Amino acid sequence: MPKRSERVIDYSVYLNAVDYLGTATATLPEITYLVDTIKGGGIAGEMAAPSPGHTGAMSLALKWRTIEKAAASLLAPKIHTLDLRASIQTFDTATSEYREVPFKVTVRARPLGLTLGNLETAAVMDTTNNFSVNYLKVTLDGVQVLEIDKYNYIHKVYDVDYLAATKENLSL
């Protein structure tokens, strides 16, 4: 493949897809499957067996340089829909040209807390919002690569829903 991803050029945070909040540094959700240790007859020892489509708790952290009105408003105890939009720099080794591709992460998340940060002369405060994520959608270069919706039994990776059979079996 001649195209190589290099870096995030810039990024922004939006509320409800339209309200610009700023450029908080985001720690994006980690996706881990729920696992159980399987052992017994026919298995030489133990192995971790993931449950397809069932994930552990996902979280999001937004770190602001200073206290922002947006940080305070995101503490409201309700579900917030946030878009994190970025432009990723790639380099095409065949043509020796740079290209930018869009990257977008959409979450529906509930606030877990707000750390006001530090007060220090001539320094950033590092005010941080922490969220529990129940919905996640990732789009890269116009292609939806991931969608997880815990309440609606959706776990799509490149448009394959790994919870479709579960939903059908449960008549959901």
Side-chain angles (χ1 to χ4, degrees), residues 24 54 67 94 105 134 153 167 171:
H54 290 266
I67 185 68
V105 176
N134 63 279
Y153 276 80
K167 281 191 294 195
S171 300

mmCIF file of all heavy atoms in Angstrom, residues 24 54 67 94 105 134 153 167 171:
data_model
loop_
_atom_site.group_PDB
_atom_site.id
_atom_site.type_symbol
_atom_site.label_atom_id
_atom_site.label_comp_id
_atom_site.label_asym_id
_atom_site.label_seq_id
_atom_site.Cartn_x
_atom_site.Cartn_y
_atom_site.Cartn_z
ATOM 1 N N ALA A 24 -10.374 20.376 22.760
ATOM 2 C CA ALA A 24 -9.905 19.604 23.909
ATOM 3 C C ALA A 24 -9.121 18.389 23.433
ATOM 4 O O ALA A 24 -9.459 17.769 22.425
ATOM 5 C CB ALA A 24 -11.094 19.145 24.747
ATOM 6 N N HIS A 54 -20.049 -8.030 22.743
ATOM 7 C CA HIS A 54 -20.224 -7.561 24.118
ATOM 8 C C HIS A 54 -18.907 -6.958 24.590
ATOM 9 O O HIS A 54 -17.884 -7.641 24.657
ATOM 10 C CB HIS A 54 -20.649 -8.709 25.037
ATOM 11 C CG HIS A 54 -22.041 -9.165 24.768
ATOM 12 N ND1 HIS A 54 -23.117 -8.682 25.460
ATOM 13 C CD2 HIS A 54 -22.536 -10.040 23.861
ATOM 14 C CE1 HIS A 54 -24.221 -9.248 25.005
ATOM 15 N NE2 HIS A 54 -23.886 -10.078 24.033
ATOM 16 N N ILE A 67 -10.362 26.198 32.079
ATOM 17 C CA ILE A 67 -11.789 25.964 32.289
ATOM 18 C C ILE A 67 -12.556 26.630 31.144
ATOM 19 O O ILE A 67 -12.262 27.758 30.767
ATOM 20 C CB ILE A 67 -12.271 26.479 33.673
ATOM 21 C CG1 ILE A 67 -13.737 26.125 33.919
ATOM 22 C CG2 ILE A 67 -12.031 27.964 33.824
ATOM 23 C CD1 ILE A 67 -14.028 24.677 34.094
ATOM 24 N N ALA A 94 3.983 6.348 -3.474
ATOM 25 C CA ALA A 94 4.093 6.166 -4.920
ATOM 26 C C ALA A 94 4.189 7.510 -5.642
ATOM 27 O O ALA A 94 4.926 7.633 -6.627
ATOM 28 C CB ALA A 94 2.901 5.374 -5.447
ATOM 29 N N VAL A 105 -15.186 10.690 15.112
ATOM 30 C CA VAL A 105 -15.667 9.796 16.160
ATOM 31 C C VAL A 105 -16.901 10.449 16.766
ATOM 32 O O VAL A 105 -16.849 11.600 17.205
ATOM 33 C CB VAL A 105 -14.596 9.576 17.258
ATOM 34 C CG1 VAL A 105 -15.152 8.732 18.387
ATOM 35 C CG2 VAL A 105 -13.351 8.938 16.666
ATOM 36 N N ASN A 134 -21.908 4.978 25.744
ATOM 37 C CA ASN A 134 -22.786 3.853 25.420
ATOM 38 C C ASN A 134 -22.974 3.694 23.911
ATOM 39 O O ASN A 134 -23.506 2.687 23.458
ATOM 40 C CB ASN A 134 -24.152 3.983 26.100
ATOM 41 C CG ASN A 134 -24.929 5.190 25.662
ATOM 42 O OD1 ASN A 134 -24.690 6.289 26.150
ATOM 43 N ND2 ASN A 134 -25.863 5.005 24.736
ATOM 44 N N TYR A 153 -28.104 -3.266 20.742
ATOM 45 C CA TYR A 153 -27.462 -4.508 20.297
ATOM 46 C C TYR A 153 -26.865 -4.377 18.905
ATOM 47 O O TYR A 153 -27.128 -5.196 18.023
ATOM 48 C CB TYR A 153 -28.449 -5.674 20.332
ATOM 49 C CG TYR A 153 -28.573 -6.335 21.685
ATOM 50 C CD1 TYR A 153 -29.358 -5.777 22.678
ATOM 51 C CD2 TYR A 153 -27.891 -7.504 21.969
ATOM 52 C CE1 TYR A 153 -29.467 -6.366 23.922
ATOM 53 C CE2 TYR A 153 -27.997 -8.110 23.206
ATOM 54 C CZ TYR A 153 -28.784 -7.540 24.181
ATOM 55 O OH TYR A 153 -28.879 -8.131 25.406
ATOM 56 N N LYS A 167 -29.553 -10.622 18.302
ATOM 57 C CA LYS A 167 -30.831 -9.894 18.249
ATOM 58 C C LYS A 167 -31.941 -10.779 17.692
ATOM 59 O O LYS A 167 -33.059 -10.792 18.207
ATOM 60 C CB LYS A 167 -30.715 -8.643 17.375
ATOM 61 C CG LYS A 167 -30.059 -7.481 18.073
ATOM 62 C CD LYS A 167 -30.201 -6.198 17.287
ATOM 63 C CE LYS A 167 -29.445 -6.268 15.994
ATOM 64 N NZ LYS A 167 -29.250 -4.968 15.361
ATOM 65 N N SER A 171 -35.336 -12.197 19.579
ATOM 66 C CA SER A 171 -36.509 -11.523 19.011
ATOM 67 C C SER A 171 -36.517 -10.033 19.331
ATOM 68 O O SER A 171 -37.548 -9.447 19.673
ATOM 69 C CB SER A 171 -37.803 -12.183 19.494
ATOM 70 O OG SER A 171 -37.850 -13.521 19.106
#
